[in-house]
């Protein structure tokens, strides 16, 4: 079994099917056939773009609105990831999307932390040959209109729960209509409060969007796969040691690339750009991390050496403690 690290994984887009069925039953949702459920949760090959991709979050969010829902979702997802050989992950979610019923953003965060702690308890009492999976949480701000109040609160809560597995913030949502630079005040606050951050950019929009993310001071970019459209940007990524959280199948789904064969992961590595490989959304994209690596091995000739570099880049860029990074280095030096 190989060991993996995922730095870019959304909770609501990565729920195991068994968890979805369990939560639907709890909330008395009418039964759906497996194929109807798949249509609601996952994109087909006909997915047109990021806008259509994002519609697949509507359904799971309907039953991620109580403390128990979020605790269950976090616990189940971590169990699933462990079974796939992951040894470290940063799971992200937007607390403000879980306040449609009675929860506050803080309730939502506490529920996910509880799910994570319960997973650790379960893992401690579970004997097998796997390395333990360690996990942290990233809170997403939403790139949507009129969310100032909610986004400010998310930043404040990230600071409040920094010692309880909340390791950073992110900016998620449709890329393009609202430019990243509009979110400067939030990231200025984050910098002041020493909250690490990453920003979704260079996915639906091109190098300008990534440049704006860099101007906000980010050291990690979610996707960033369109950087190769600008040589000047490539140089900046190299000089500033920026890490790209690449997600191959997701980029294929949103039509950034037509074929996985042309996914430029090897070009990024050969240009010494700090690329990492991640899932984005296991359920929406019908994927998992072992599958992503396999896919790129088959379609782009990704070698063992390339994979080692991708994982090393992940360790270096993780929003984890030095102690955790040493543990990961130790695991990967055993390969
Ligand atoms: Zn994402």
């Amino acid at each position: 079994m190989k060991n993996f690290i995922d730095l870019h994984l959304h909770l609501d887009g990565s729920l195991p099917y068994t968890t979805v069925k369990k939560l639907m039953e709890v909330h008395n949702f009418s039964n759906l056939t497996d194929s109807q459920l798949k249509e609601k949760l996952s994109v087909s090959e006909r997915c047109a773009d990021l806008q259509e991709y994002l519609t697949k979050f509507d359904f799971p969010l309907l039953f991620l609105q109580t403390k128990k829902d979020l605790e269950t979702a976090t616990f189940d997802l971590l169990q699933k990831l462990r079974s796939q050989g992951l040894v470290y992950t940063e799971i992200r979610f937007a607390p403000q999307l879980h306040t449609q019923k009675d929860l506050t953003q803080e309730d939502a965060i506490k529920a996910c932390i509880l799910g994570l702690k319960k997973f650790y308890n379960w893992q401690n009492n579970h004997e097998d040959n796997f390395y333990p999976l360690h996990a942290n949480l990233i809170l997403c701000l939403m790139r949507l209109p009129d969310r100032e109040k909610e986004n400010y609160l998310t930043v404040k809560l990230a600071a409040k729960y920094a010692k309880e597995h909340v390791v950073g913030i992110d900016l998620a949502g449709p890329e393009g209509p609202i430019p990243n630079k509009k979110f400067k005040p939030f990231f200025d606050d984050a910098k002041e409060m020493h909250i690490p951050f990453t920003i979704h950019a260079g996915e639906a929009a091109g190098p300008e969007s990534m440049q704006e993310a860099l101007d906000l001071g980010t050291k990690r970019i979610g996707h960033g796969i369109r950087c190769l459209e600008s040589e000047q940007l490539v140089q900046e990524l190299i000089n500033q040691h920026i890490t790209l959280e690449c997600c191959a199948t997701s980029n294929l789904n949103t039509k950034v690339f037509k074929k996985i064969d042309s996914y430029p992961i090897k070009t990024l590595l050969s240009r010494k750009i700090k690329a990492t490989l991640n899932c984005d959304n296991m359920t929406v994209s019908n994927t998992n991390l072992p599958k992503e690596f396999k896919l790129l091995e088959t379609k782009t000739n990704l070698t063992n050496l390339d994979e080692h570099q991708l994982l090393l880049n992940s360790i270096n860029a993780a929003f984890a403690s030095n102690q955790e990074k040493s543990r990961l280095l130790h695991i990967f030096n055993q390969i």
Side-chain angles (χ1 to χ4, degrees):
M1 159 85 72
K2 278 190 187 177
N3 300 297
F4 299 96
I5 295 175
D6 200 322
L7 298 182
H8 189 129
L9 191 73
H10 295 263
L11 176 68
D12 46 2
S14 301
L15 296 180
Y17 272 86
T18 45
T19 309
V20 173
K21 286 180 179 173
K22 194 160 60 180
L23 293 175
M24 283 173 66
E25 210 178 302
V26 168
H27 294 290
N28 297 317
F29 273 70
S30 54
N31 267 342
L32 295 176
T33 64
D34 283 356
S35 67
Q36 284 169 328
L37 196 56
K38 194 160 192 258
E39 206 182 307
K40 286 207 173 283
L41 298 170
S42 309
V43 291
S44 71
E45 279 177 14
R46 294 185 305 279
C47 177
D49 53 22
L50 181 61
Q51 287 287 358
E52 185 176 339
Y53 187 89
L54 293 176
T55 62
K56 299 296 173 185
F57 295 84
D58 297 344
F59 187 65
L61 277 169
L62 292 176
F63 42 78
L64 289 174
Q65 300 298 333
T66 72
K67 290 180 192 174
K68 191 70 194 156
D69 295 344
L70 286 163
E71 182 194 317
T72 303
T74 309
F75 181 91
D76 287 5
L77 175 57
L78 288 170
Q79 257 191 347
K80 184 89 185 170
L81 295 174
R82 187 177 194 269
S83 73
Q84 295 166 356
L86 270 78
V87 289
Y88 180 75
T89 186
E90 290 172 1
I91 295 177
R92 58 187 79 192
F93 66 102
Q96 62 188 273
L97 299 182
H98 304 282
T99 56
Q100 291 170 17
K101 284 186 182 164
D102 307 320
L103 292 193
T104 62
Q105 287 202 38
E106 187 161 8
D107 292 334
I109 295 165
K110 281 160 84 175
C112 291
I113 294 172
L114 187 61
L116 195 158
K117 286 182 175 168
K118 286 197 170 173
F119 166 77
Y120 273 28
N121 271 340
W122 170 84
Q123 182 170 245
N124 286 341
N125 296 311
H126 192 83
E127 277 185 29
D128 56 25
N129 293 327
F130 287 58
Y131 283 106
L133 165 62
H134 288 183
N136 282 315
L137 303 171
I138 293 177
L139 308 183
C140 301
L141 313 186
M142 291 309 297
R143 196 158 34 200
L144 295 170
D146 307 317
R147 294 298 179 109
E148 281 79 8
K149 213 173 83 207
E150 290 83 354
N151 285 339
Y152 268 122
L153 180 58
T154 307
V155 178
K156 265 171 63 183
L157 290 168
K160 183 170 177 183
Y161 287 93
K163 288 198 170 59
E164 290 202 67
H165 292 287
V166 174
V167 290
I169 58 168
D170 170 36
L171 180 60
E175 189 186 9
I178 310 179
N180 292 329
K181 61 184 175 196
K182 291 266 182 212
F183 296 85
K184 187 173 185 301
F186 305 106
F187 291 102
D188 284 348
D189 274 7
K191 276 187 266 185
E192 216 164 277
M193 291 189 261
H194 306 289
I195 304 168
F197 57 89
T198 175
I199 293 175
H200 276 77
E203 181 186 14
E208 341 67 65
S209 173
M210 287 183 69
Q211 187 61 56
E212 284 184 10
L214 292 185
D215 294 343
L216 295 176
T218 197
K219 291 288 172 198
R220 274 172 46 177
I221 291 185
H223 300 284
I225 200 69
R226 291 184 58 186
C227 66
L228 295 168
E229 294 170 25
S230 160
E231 184 53 31
Q232 191 192 330
L233 180 64
V234 166
Q235 287 308 321
E236 237 181 291
L237 295 176
I238 297 167
N239 296 341
Q240 293 189 40
H241 309 289
I242 304 299
T243 299
L244 301 186
E245 303 157 4
C246 302
C247 310
T249 299
S250 169
N251 292 157
L252 204 69
N253 295 152
T254 57
K255 300 296 180 285
V256 185
F257 295 94
K258 282 206 181 81
K259 284 175 80 179
I260 201 73
D261 313 49
S262 51
Y263 198 72
I265 196 82
K266 280 181 81 82
T267 310
L268 295 176
L269 290 173
S270 70
R271 298 290 317 265
K272 305 283 183 233
I273 294 173
K274 297 193 177 308
T276 63
L277 186 60
N278 311 276
C279 273
D280 204 12
N281 297 288
M282 290 200 310
T283 314
V284 180
S285 289
N286 290 305
T287 193
N288 58 53
L289 207 43
K291 218 166 143 181
E292 291 292 297
F293 274 87
K294 196 91 213 135
L295 189 68
L296 294 187
E297 280 166 19
T298 322
K299 300 289 185 183
T300 69
N301 294 323
L302 196 73
T303 64
N304 277 344
L305 212 62
D306 295 331
E307 294 186 1
H308 203 84
Q309 188 60 53
L310 288 169
L311 291 163
L312 200 62
N313 292 343
S314 293
I315 296 172
N316 288 329
F319 295 150
S321 65
N322 288 336
Q323 192 188 0
E324 176 60 22
K325 290 185 184 212
S326 302
R327 183 187 79 100
L328 294 171
L329 281 173
H330 176 78
I331 293 173
F332 286 103
N333 284 331
Q334 314 284 312
I335 299 174

